Amino acid sequence: MQDPFAGNSPAPPPLPAALPPPLDHAASGGWVSEEDRTLGMLCHLLGIFTGFLGPLILWLVKKDRSAFVNHHGREALNFQLTILIIFIALGSATIVLLFVFVGFFLIPVILVLQVLAVVAEVMAAVAAQKGGWHRYPFCLRLV
């Protein structure tokens, strides 16, 4: 008996136009220097203390030096801008809702999101220090 599906397999789907960078430096075929790994880690850690200004300055100064630093600088900057937009929206909603006495429910949400943001930044910094190409999962790609 002949297989009715033999020879009629569908063609594989086309590859997307822009593939994300590989997940680790070994898969990329390259080696990431210690200085690049430190700068990539610093891009993420500066965001904890300076908001978007630290990653922005470091990215603008070092983005042409290596693709690794460029990637981590962009990721850190995009994450900080996303967090800034979210906190502005939540802060505005809290202020408006305080007038109807229910806005205080959003204050714990803001605090939990801040803790989660710090955890995400530390995870990204650790990945950068290990030479990995980290991407934040819920982040607007603005830059």
Side-chain angles (χ1 to χ4, degrees):
M1 211 159 134
Q2 185 177 2
D3 184 12
F5 298 108
N8 294 333
S9 63
L15 293 175
L19 292 173
L23 293 177
D24 66 34
H25 67 283
S28 68
W31 179 76
V32 180
S33 71
E34 181 67 29
E35 182 181 356
D36 287 347
R37 291 187 300 165
T38 302
L39 287 172
M41 178 187 66
L42 193 58
C43 288
H44 297 288
L45 291 180
L46 278 175
I48 295 172
F49 303 108
T50 64
F52 72 92
L53 289 177
L56 174 65
I57 292 169
L58 188 60
W59 178 66
L60 287 174
V61 171
K62 299 289 185 176
K63 69 179 179 179
D64 296 328
R65 190 181 178 292
S66 78
F68 187 78
V69 175
N70 183 25
H71 168 76
H72 283 283
R74 264 185 304 137
E75 283 297 312
L77 182 58
N78 283 330
F79 183 72
Q80 289 302 319
L81 292 174
T82 301
I83 292 297
L84 178 66
I85 291 168
I86 290 171
F87 284 151
I88 287 173
L90 280 175
S92 301
T94 302
I95 290 171
V96 169
L97 292 176
L98 277 175
F99 290 112
V100 291
F101 302 108
V102 294
F104 63 90
F105 287 121
L106 290 178
I107 293 173
V109 172
I110 293 172
L111 295 175
V112 167
L113 284 178
Q114 185 63 42
V115 169
L116 291 176
V118 169
V119 169
E121 291 163 348
V122 168
M123 289 173 58
V126 168
Q129 182 58 34
K130 290 181 179 179
W133 297 80
H134 180 79
R135 289 188 70 143
Y136 291 99
F138 302 107
C139 182
L140 298 173
R141 307 284 178 227
L142 302 171
V143 179

